[in-house]
Amino acid sequence: MKDQNEILLENEKAFKSLFEHATISILVTDENGDINLVNPNAEKLFGYTKEELSGKPIELLIPENLREIHRQHRQHYFQAPKARPMGLGKDLFARDKNGRTFPVEISLGYYKLGAQKMAVAFITDVSERKKAEAILRASEETTRLIMNSALDAIICIDSNGCITVWNPQAEQIFGWKEEEVKGRRLSETIVPQQHREAHEAGLKRYLNTREQSVLNKLIEITALHRNGKEFPIELTIIPMRQNDTDFFCAFIRDITDRREAEVRQKEYAEDLKRKNIELEQFAYVASHDLQEPLRTVSGFVELLKRHYKHEADENVTKYINYITDASDRMRRLVQDLLDYSRLGRERILEPIDCNQVVQQVLSDLTMAVQESHAVINIDMLPTISGYATEMKQLFQNLISNSLKFRKPGEPPVINISVMPKDDHWQFKISDNGIGIDEKYWERIFIIFQRLHTKNEYEGTGIGLAHCKKIAELHNGRIWVDSVVGEGSTFYFTIKKRFTDKWK
Ligand code: ADP
C-alpha cells in the first residue's frame, strides 16, 4: 500500500508532466497579475522564455490598447474567482514578443497556494481557425450573391425530392416564395401532373443505379406556375454529393418568350415563302402573257415598215424605228422577267465543280476578255452542291459585269477566290473597274435597277437581281464593297449543305 505522501508525490509528478507536455498554452498568475508559471507551449506561443516572463505582469502578453481594461477585469475576477471561459462572446487578442497581435481563446481556472489566490489561463491561438472561418464566410457570401443575382432560377432538392434551395429568380418564375416551398416536394409544386411519375421514378432510379439519362443535360420541358398555368422551361439538373448525402440542383429558365418568338418567326417565314411563290407565279404569268401582245405589236410594226417602205417620210420612218427599238427592249425585259421567275424551278441539286463552271463562263466570254485585255486570276475553287445552270449564271453575271464596268483605257484585272466561313463558302470576285457609290450598294440588287443609261453601258439591270436570287436559292447572300474609281468586290455565300427548296 502506498502511503498518502507517496500518492501526493505521484500526483504532483503527473500534473507536472501534464503541464510540461500540454499542447495548450498555460500561464499561472498571482492575484497581482504577475506571472508565476509558464509551460513550454506558452513559451513557444509568445516567444519569451519562462525566465523572461517570470514575475512580469500578465499585461505584457496583451495588446497595449487592451491592457487597462484587462487589469480591471483581472481584479474583478479575483473577487469571485471560478472556472469559466474568458471574455464570452467577445474576440480576445494576445501579443507576442515580436509585437504580433493574434486572436486567442482563453479558459480561466483558479486555485489557492497558501493564502494566495492563483489564476490559471489556458490559451489557444485561434488565428488559423479565424482565417478559415473568414474564408468560409466569404465563400458563403459569394454563393449567396451568385444565387441572388443569377438570371436562372436555381432550385435544389434533397434525396427525398424536397426543396432545400429556392433563389429569388425561382420566386419570380414560379410565383412561390422561398418560405412557402422550402421543405415541400418539388413534384407537388412545379412539376405538372403528367411529368410527376417520371420525375419521382427518375429520382429513385438515380439513387439506386446512378443512371444519369436526364442529368447534366439541357432539357426542354414544361413546368407549373403557382397560378396553375403550365409554361415551357429549359433546365439542367446536376447531381451533387456532400458528406455522403445526395442532393440535386436545377438551373431553370423560362422560355415562353423564346417559344412564342419561334412560332411567330415560323409563321412569318411561311407567310413570306407563300407570298414569294405567289409573286413568282405572278411574274411568270404576267411576263408569259405579255409576250403575246408584244409579238403582235412587233409583227404589225414590221408590216408597217415593209408596207410603207417607199412612201414613208423621214418622220414616219424615225417613229417606226423608235417603236421597233422600244418593243425590242420590252421583249428583252419581259424575257428577263420570265427567266427571273423561272430561276431554280424544278432544278435538281448536283455536285458542281466551280473551277469547271468558271472555265466554261470564261470560254463563253472569250471575245470580251480578249478585246479588253483582261487579266483574270482564279484561286482553287471547291466542288459544291447546287443548281448547275444557276451557278453558271451567277459567275457569268459577276464576271461579265467586271469586264463591262471597266475603267476606260485600263485593262480589267479580276480576282476570283473563296474561303470557308462556318457552314458556308464565301466567294469573292473583285475588279479594278469604275466602282459603285456606297449609296447604291443595296439598290443594284433590285430587279431592273441600273446606274447608267443603255447608251453608256448595255444591259437591263436584271443581272445582279438574278445573282441575289441564286445566292438565296443556295441559302446564301450577296453583297458588294467598292470604292468609286478604284474597283468593286462582290461577295456571295453558298451553304455547304442545304436542303433542296423544291424537295
Ligand atoms: P446591268 O449590268 O444589266 O446594268 P446588273 O444588275 O448586272 O445590271 O447591275 C446593276 C448595276 O450595278 C449596273 O448597272 C452597274 O451600275 C452596277 N454594277 C454592277 N456590277 C458592277 C461592277 N463590277 N462595277 C461597277 N458597277 C457595277
Side-chain angles (χ1 to χ4, degrees), residues 19 41 61 90 184 341 376 479 490:
F19 183 75
N41 211 298
L61 304 177
K90 287 194 203 106
R184 285 186 58 182
S341 61
I376 302 176
W479 68 101
F490 283 84

Side-chain angles (χ1 to χ4, degrees), residues 401 404-405 431 436 444 449-452 459-461 463-464 488:
N401 276 351
K404 181 162 67 169
F405 298 105
D431 62 46
I436 304 162
I444 51 171
Q449 292 291 330
R450 311 198 66 227
L451 308 181
H452 310 275
T460 57
L464 289 180
S488 308

Side-chain angles (χ1 to χ4, degrees), residues 379-424:
D379 274 4
M380 188 66 185
L381 303 177
T383 294
I384 59 158
S385 152
Y387 304 114
T389 318
E390 281 73 11
M391 280 308 293
K392 186 180 168 203
Q393 204 171 343
L394 174 54
F395 279 109
Q396 169 132 11
N397 288 342
L398 294 177
I399 297 171
S400 59
N401 276 351
S402 290
L403 293 170
K404 181 162 67 169
F405 298 105
R406 64 178 181 268
K407 270 187 293 212
E410 202 175 312
V413 178
I414 304 172
N415 295 310
I416 303 174
S417 59
V418 69
M419 63 191 280
K421 269 270 164 91
D422 303 323
D423 51 354
H424 284 77

Side-chain angles (χ1 to χ4, degrees), residues 55-201:
K56 299 277 163 38
I58 185 75
E59 279 76 25
L60 180 67
L61 304 177
I62 286 169
E64 276 166 38
N65 58 334
L66 300 172
R67 282 180 187 165
E68 187 44 42
I69 185 95
H70 183 268
R71 212 167 277 133
Q72 290 167 17
H73 278 293
R74 172 162 57 79
Q75 282 157 5
H76 193 244
Y77 177 75
F78 277 110
Q79 282 165 16
K82 60 175 189 217
R84 61 166 171 82
M86 189 174 161
L88 243 176
K90 287 194 203 106
D91 287 334
L92 302 177
F93 292 93
R95 181 181 190 274
D96 70 7
K97 194 175 177 182
N98 294 326
R100 177 182 76 102
T101 298
F102 53 96
V104 285
E105 257 174 25
I106 303 176
S107 270
L108 290 176
Y110 94 103
Y111 65 94
K112 275 192 170 165
L113 189 67
Q116 272 269 28
K117 286 179 192 160
M118 308 297 281
V120 190
F122 299 91
I123 306 162
T124 315
D125 177 358
V126 291
S127 320
E128 290 308 315
R129 203 184 73 205
K130 291 272 176 193
K131 259 190 232 161
E133 280 171 5
I135 292 173
L136 190 70
R137 264 202 311 279
S139 93
E140 278 172 1
E141 178 66 6
T142 314
T143 313
R144 202 181 56 79
L145 260 170
I146 293 174
M147 298 280 281
N148 288 354
S149 51
L151 285 178
D152 286 345
I154 302 176
I155 299 173
C156 299
I157 56 168
D158 60 20
S159 54
N160 296 318
C162 294
I163 297 165
T164 54
V165 170
W166 185 266
N167 77 340
Q169 194 61 17
E171 200 169 306
Q172 204 178 343
I173 293 181
F174 295 102
W176 296 96
K177 289 197 181 313
E178 185 183 5
E179 56 273 22
E180 292 172 320
V181 283
K182 245 184 162 171
R184 285 186 58 182
R185 297 187 72 73
L186 187 77
S187 57
E188 288 159 12
T189 47
I190 66 161
V191 181
Q193 191 71 44
Q194 72 273 24
H195 299 317
R196 282 185 191 167
E197 227 179 277
H199 166 80
E200 297 285 356

